[in-house]
Amino acid sequence: MKVIAVYNIKGGVGKTTTAVNLSFLAALQGHNTLLWDLDSQAASSFYLRIQPKLKGGSRALVKGKSALHTFIKGTDFENFDLLPADFSARNLDLILDDSKKPTRRLSKLLQPLASEYDYIFLDCPPGMSLLSEAILHAADYIVCPLIPTTLSVRTLTQLQDFLNEQELNAVNLIPFFSMVDRRKKMHLDLLASLREHTPTILNSTIPYASDIERMGEERNPLPVFAGKSKAAAAYQALWQEIALRMHESR
Amino acid sequence: MIKTALIYTLPDECSIAQFIQRLQAIVDLQVGVVTEIRKSYYDSFDWRLYHAGMVLEFSQSAAGGSLSLLNLDYPQALMSADISQVPVFASDFESTDFRLQLTPILAMRALFEVGAVNFSVTPINVLNQDAKTIFRLRIEASKVLATRIVIQIIKGYDKEVLAIINKLQAEFDLLPETQALFVQVLALHAKFPGDYQPKLKLHFNPQLRAVVALAQIYKHLTGVLQRNHAGCIHNWDSEFVHDFRIAVRSTRVGLGRCKKIFPKQLLAEFIQFFSWLGKITGPVRDLDVYLLQFESYQALLPVANREHLEPLRELLQHKQQQAYQELAQHLQSEYYCDSMGRWQAFLDAPPSDQSAAPQAKWSVKQWADRKIWKTYKQVMNTAQVLSSDSPEEEWHDLRKSMKKLRYLIEFFQSVYPKAEMKQALKLLKFWLSSLGELQDLAVQIQTLRTLGEEQAADGASSASLQAIALLIDTLTQRQQAARQVLNDNIKSFSRAKNHRHFTRLFAPQKQYLSLDEDDE
Ligand SMILES: Nc1ncnc2c1ncn2[C@@H]1O[C@H](COP(=O)(O)OP(=O)(O)OP(=O)(O)O)[C@@H](O)[C@H]1O
Ligand SMILES: [Mg+2]
């Protein structure tokens, strides 16, 4: 089992979009895949047409009263399951706050799923909180979407510093550029100089594309309704490069 | 991921179109394109998968093929893989999961298609108010079976789905499917899983006349011969000849004890026929055994030498092919067909008409007591004179008479107390396998020497001759060890406890001892 968190401190950078499409592609290859919607906005649950309410609520879940299993729902796709978000608990953070060893709590919850899933993707809320700390502790890989701005590198450095601080050196940080507009010279220049500065950034980029925006109306992963689009091909290439990076890092 | 399905059958009076139409009134549907699928089932000739509680199902459509290993008792896939063709042997599977699961069960047995059926499949997604699929439903229609409704529940939606299914059942009179599809398909082909039973399981009333019982035993064995005949000719796998030979040899042993009750001339003819069958199947069996054990031979050698045994394997394969060709000719010869026909006609004739000797009136129990006791005494005589320096042939003689004893005991098991027979057979099997190992090693070493010389004459590489020599050395060491084990246990077979056991079971009543016979 590999736990892949899709995370960035910044909001609106394409975390959910990435998490949904990558987990769909992993499942399509035949890997048993789970996507855990950890954001109370429940965007991934919405994209997959699954009601975000958990019976008993996430309070019981994090306290360890009920096994994760009972909350899992099958998506419309083979090998692809979702653990829906719970917006009834306003803030998972609060719950973690009063549990013992909060940062270890998530990885412990995931343990029983190890034999069942090849990949577990975590769709994370933005910001830096106790929940994000717990997520970073539970993850083997952190896939980090970056928007081509001068500030994005700063975000990445912050994240790396945090990982070092928490002694999470084994966690692999996998950054890539999203919402890239190849027509904007500024974007291309930025990409080149940022890559020079941070060579770990993946070669694959996700373009800014209206097909991607349509995911909200279609309520399906991108390849399902726009399989032949450039954007779908970009996600496919992205997943391949990430899989390779994961393979090499073993 | 584990997938369970609920399966129902649609009543005949409800058409598929009607079903879909009425379903649509209850829930939202997404109806997919109808596809043609051929489902076929595979098992070995002796139904090893079936006996292990498993079903191998191969589905083929225009999109490709998919193989699933299912549980026989409930419709659950243990594993699946996309493949275009089902391999013949378990060891040929590319999927590691399948290979590891199937090899211990199937071993050297080939897979055969045992039945197939064509379906027109309509896939349907049942949706909730978010247009999310909450279960999948497949209508599987065929010309020969009742239409099946297969429901695949999606994780986390059990409750909603069960409510809908209850409604459907009430509305459509759906009946849960009671027999596994596998069993239904086989019934269409008039095949019954588990129908091949080479072991003698005949049950005799002890008072039955021995001639009648013997005829039944021979008929059973002849059935085994016939079931395996084609497999021997085509070399589908090595077990056809194996089972064929056992039936031949037990028949031969039985016939050797029928001198007074079967007509002399006919008996001589049949004994000759079965001896011949034993002889013509020998070379093939020996080569099969070598090839089956080849990998374990290789494993005996240091890694560096192993590849040098490959020329030997090729030579053996070549010889095996030739031997099978010869066997196929024999088994289709006029002599075979004539003799088999006469043998069957003989078995079909009323046995009472065939002899006037008093032995022909004996009951199974009387006959079995006497024959088994006599053979047992032969075994004891041979065993008692054996010592650690007895020559190889004497050990071989012991094995031959023990084998006879085993066959006879197997013939007549049912007229003796079950538990005690089991014990007697267990003792014999232990001895037979130890003696068999010794004998096999002797034969193998001898054959390897001959083949080594043959290869040397053919100008084989020194590396491969060296590998053979090394193998002979290793096998010789094994032979010595096996011999030592037997030496140490020589006296245990004839010890008092065993003797009492056999005496209690088989020693016949006095009045029959006077009737001497000239058995082999
Ligand atoms: N490559 C892209 N091209 C165009 N629009 C995009 C692209 N990626 C994401 N979007 C759109 O941007 C918005 C934010 O994306 P998304 O929800 O994936 O980001 P997020 O990082 O998960 O946001 P949040 O931090 O709120 O959870 C969505 O409306 C999405 O459709
Ligand atoms: Mg999001």
Side-chain angles (χ1 to χ4, degrees):
Chain A
M1 178 183 74
K2 287 182 179 132
V3 180
I4 303 169
V6 185
Y7 177 70
N8 189 328
I9 298 172
K10 286 181 71 69
V13 295
K15 296 184 291 294
T16 299
T17 312
T18 305
V20 168
N21 286 322
L22 292 187
S23 42
F24 171 83
L25 290 171
L28 193 66
Q29 287 182 334
H31 303 296
N32 289 331
T33 306
L34 176 73
L35 170 59
W36 188 352
D37 187 353
L38 278 161
D39 190 348
S40 57
Q41 298 300 314
S44 348
S45 304
F46 175 81
Y47 284 138
L48 294 164
R49 303 167 186 254
I50 292 173
Q51 293 293 332
K53 201 165 173 224
L54 293 186
K55 286 167 242 147
S58 55
R59 187 166 282 269
L61 194 72
V62 180
K63 291 256 168 158
K65 286 203 186 86
S66 23
L68 226 44
H69 275 112
T70 52
F71 300 105
I72 293 175
K73 301 243 172 215
T75 69
D76 285 3
F77 312 102
E78 288 277 323
N79 316 320
F80 186 11
D81 291 344
L82 178 98
L83 189 56
D86 171 20
F87 51 58
S88 70
R90 253 185 306 125
N91 198 340
L92 261 165
D93 252 337
L94 291 175
I95 301 155
L96 284 169
D97 216 5
D98 54 49
S99 70
K100 279 181 256 160
K101 291 205 182 152
T103 53
R104 314 267 167 220
R105 197 68 218 129
L106 272 190
S107 31
K108 238 188 157 157
L109 277 171
L110 290 173
Q111 265 322 301
L113 300 178
S115 60
E116 204 164 323
Y117 293 101
D118 303 315
Y119 291 111
I120 297 183
F121 285 86
L122 307 176
D123 180 19
C124 309
M128 192 36 112
S129 62
L130 201 51
L131 175 61
S132 18
E133 255 180 69
I135 288 170
L136 299 181
H137 274 274
D140 302 310
Y141 302 91
I142 298 167
V143 168
C144 184
L146 301 170
I147 301 184
T149 66
T150 36
L151 285 183
S152 60
V153 171
R154 215 175 75 87
T155 329
L156 201 58
T157 322
Q158 271 175 343
L159 185 54
Q160 190 60 61
D161 288 347
F162 177 79
L163 292 177
N164 295 344
E165 200 179 294
Q166 297 279 315
E167 293 180 2
L168 290 170
N169 306 323
V171 183
N172 259 283
L173 190 55
I174 309 181
F176 73 97
F177 285 111
S178 186
M179 303 199 199
V180 175
D181 191 344
R182 297 217 148 256
R183 289 165 308 183
K184 289 190 187 153
K185 187 166 181 315
M186 182 207 61
H187 268 194
L188 297 180
D189 292 346
L190 252 173
L191 249 60
S193 73
L194 291 177
R195 279 229 170 80
E196 210 165 292
H197 184 270
T198 317
T200 53
I201 297 176
L202 297 180
N203 289 322
S204 318
T205 58
I206 302 297
Y208 189 93
S210 55
D211 281 334
I212 297 179
E213 284 176 307
R214 270 173 57 211
M215 275 176 67
E217 301 146 42
E218 298 282 347
R219 296 186 74 183
N220 262 321
L222 179 69
V224 174
F225 63 90
K228 297 216 164 68
S229 65
K230 276 194 179 137
Y235 274 113
Q236 180 67 50
L238 177 68
W239 170 237
Q240 263 166 21
E241 199 179 352
I242 290 175
L244 188 69
R245 182 71 68 87
M246 291 193 294
H247 182 74
E248 283 166 353
S249 75
R250 282 193 317 167
Chain B
M1 253 175 257
I2 294 160
K3 285 175 196 140
T4 36
L6 300 168
I7 304 172
Y8 300 91
T9 48
L10 196 63
D12 287 342
E13 61 273 14
C14 182
S15 75
I16 294 172
Q18 273 172 336
F19 176 75
I20 295 177
Q21 199 176 26
R22 284 160 70 189
L23 192 60
Q24 235 148 6
I26 305 175
V27 279
D28 286 341
L29 302 181
Q30 197 176 34
V31 181
V33 208
V34 178
T35 47
E36 299 303 318
I37 290 184
R38 179 178 193 269
K39 284 192 193 186
S40 49
Y41 294 94
Y42 285 77
D43 207 331
S44 66
F45 178 72
D46 55 352
W47 302 99
R48 293 191 180 193
L49 293 177
Y50 171 78
H51 290 301
M54 290 174 195
V55 173
L56 197 58
E57 184 184 81
F58 185 45
S59 300
Q60 281 166 291
S61 68
S66 133
L67 186 72
S68 300
L69 188 63
L70 311 172
N71 194 307
L72 180 62
D73 300 314
Y74 44 96
Q76 188 180 79
L78 302 166
M79 55 184 68
S80 340
D82 291 340
I83 56 170
S84 54
Q85 211 180 357
V86 180
V88 177
F89 292 103
S91 52
D92 297 338
F93 276 83
E94 263 176 43
S95 144
T96 325
D97 283 350
F98 273 96
R99 212 171 44 240
L100 292 179
Q101 176 83 36
L102 295 181
T103 309
I105 301 171
L106 292 168
M108 72 300 273
R109 293 241 71 161
L111 284 169
F112 293 90
E113 185 181 292
V114 291
V117 72
N118 291 314
F119 285 110
S120 298
V121 178
T122 315
I124 295 176
N125 292 337
V126 176
L127 311 173
N128 67 8
Q129 68 282 0
D130 290 316
K132 159 90 179 72
T133 305
I134 53 172
F135 68 92
R136 295 198 175 89
L137 189 149
R138 245 178 16 240
I139 306 174
E140 299 186 341
S142 71
K143 294 206 173 79
V144 284
L145 296 170
T147 299
R148 310 171 83 223
I149 309 287
V150 181
I151 289 174
Q152 195 96 47
I153 298 184
I154 289 175
K155 206 185 278 179
Y157 292 94
D158 328 36
K159 267 200 194 141
E160 292 94 314
V161 173
L162 288 178
I164 298 174
I165 289 174
N166 282 339
K167 234 188 207 172
L168 290 185
Q169 253 185 302
E171 167 102 18
F172 294 106
D173 241 348
L174 295 182
L175 293 173
E177 189 176 55
T178 46
Q179 257 187 335
L181 182 59
F182 164 71
V183 178
Q184 295 178 49
V185 172
L186 288 195
L188 288 176
H189 294 256
K191 273 194 190 151
F192 301 95
D195 65 359
Y196 176 67
Q197 196 44 269
K199 284 227 166 65
L200 263 169
K201 289 222 170 103
L202 296 174
H203 200 92
F204 299 121
N205 177 339
Q207 302 311 317
L208 185 74
R209 281 179 48 220
V211 261
V212 180
L214 281 165
Q216 284 181 27
I217 291 169
Y218 294 139
K219 271 188 188 167
H220 169 88
L221 293 170
T222 308
V224 174
L225 293 180
Q226 283 173 323
R227 294 285 311 265
N228 286 287
H229 185 250
C232 291
I233 289 174
H234 299 289
N235 185 15
W236 284 326
D237 67 41
S238 59
E239 294 313 281
F240 289 96
V241 167
H242 173 261
D243 287 6
F244 190 90
R245 262 173 84 73
I246 290 183
V248 163
R249 285 151 82 183
S250 2
T251 306
R252 172 72 189 81
V253 167
L255 286 178
R257 271 135 200 85
C258 289
K259 294 213 169 127
K260 287 281 156 63
I261 54 174
F262 287 171
K264 202 171 169 188
Q265 215 177 337
L266 269 180
L267 183 65
E269 183 194 321
F270 295 140
I271 286 184
Q272 196 184 13
F273 175 53
F274 280 96
S275 304
W276 175 75
L277 284 177
K279 212 181 307 152
I280 59 165
T281 46
V284 157
R285 180 62 197 159
D286 287 345
L287 288 160
D288 279 345
V289 172
Y290 287 126
L291 285 163
L292 287 171
Q293 291 184 347
F294 205 84
E295 261 107 65
S296 67
Y297 285 165
Q298 279 179 314
L300 290 175
L301 298 185
V303 180
N305 298 82
R306 289 181 193 167
E307 60 171 306
H308 299 303
L309 276 185
E310 286 307 321
L312 178 65
R313 193 207 295 261
E314 277 161 34
L315 180 66
L316 287 168
Q317 277 165 343
H318 177 69
K319 284 181 182 285
Q320 182 203 35
Q321 269 172 20
Q322 279 181 332
Y324 264 103
Q325 268 167 22
E326 276 168 38
L327 177 63
Q329 277 168 12
H330 285 313
L331 291 181
Q332 295 170 101
S333 66
E334 227 178 286
Y335 174 57
Y336 177 87
C337 299
D338 278 0
S339 305
M340 195 46 112
R342 287 161 66 80
W343 172 237
Q344 281 174 293
F346 172 73
L347 293 179
D348 287 338
S352 55
D353 300 348
Q354 295 178 352
S355 169
Q359 288 88 336
K361 305 249 159 18
W362 285 359
S363 71
V364 200
K365 179 72 168 64
Q366 289 165 336
W367 204 82
D369 277 351
R370 177 147 174 73
K371 301 297 168 180
I372 292 176
W373 184 244
K374 201 168 167 190
T375 314
Y376 170 69
K377 281 194 300 186
Q378 281 169 7
V379 170
M380 288 296 277
N381 291 340
T382 327
Q384 265 156 356
V385 298
L386 272 175
S387 68
S388 46
D389 43 42
S390 300
E392 218 63 70
E393 302 85 72
E394 284 179 23
W395 290 97
H396 187 42
D397 287 344
L398 177 64
R399 182 178 181 220
K400 279 202 296 202
S401 50
M402 271 194 178
K403 250 194 177 158
K404 287 179 188 165
L405 182 58
R406 175 182 170 179
Y407 290 143
L408 289 174
I409 290 182
E410 279 173 349
F411 281 3
F412 302 112
Q413 280 186 77
S414 65
V415 299
Y416 294 96
K418 204 171 169 182
E420 294 180 42
M421 288 308 269
K422 229 178 158 174
Q423 202 185 326
L425 275 173
K426 203 174 142 193
L427 186 70
L428 279 174
K429 279 183 190 165
F430 165 77
W431 272 88
L432 279 170
S433 80
S434 314
L435 288 165
E437 195 195 342
L438 192 68
Q439 160 97 35
D440 287 349
L441 283 165
V443 175
Q444 281 159 15
I445 291 167
Q446 189 45 52
T447 311
L448 280 172
R449 286 213 178 97
T450 320
L451 292 178
E453 282 161 20
E454 227 174 275
Q455 291 218 296
D458 274 1
S461 74
S462 66
S464 73
L465 294 178
Q466 206 183 345
I468 294 177
L470 205 55
L471 185 58
I472 293 178
D473 280 352
T474 320
L475 293 179
T476 309
Q477 281 164 25
R478 279 208 167 177
Q479 186 188 27
Q480 279 158 0
R483 184 65 183 271
Q484 190 56 47
V485 172
L486 281 174
N487 283 346
D488 295 346
N489 288 298
I490 273 177
K491 297 291 168 228
S492 77
F493 181 78
S494 39
R495 70 174 173 230
K497 186 171 150 254
N498 290 338
H499 186 56
R500 277 200 304 278
H501 189 69
F502 277 90
T503 312
R504 201 167 47 239
L505 277 171
F506 307 115
Q509 292 156 18
K510 292 243 162 39
Q511 67 255 39
Y512 300 110
L513 287 173
S514 58
L515 283 164
D516 217 359
E517 266 189 275
D518 48 350
D519 282 348
E520 295 175 351

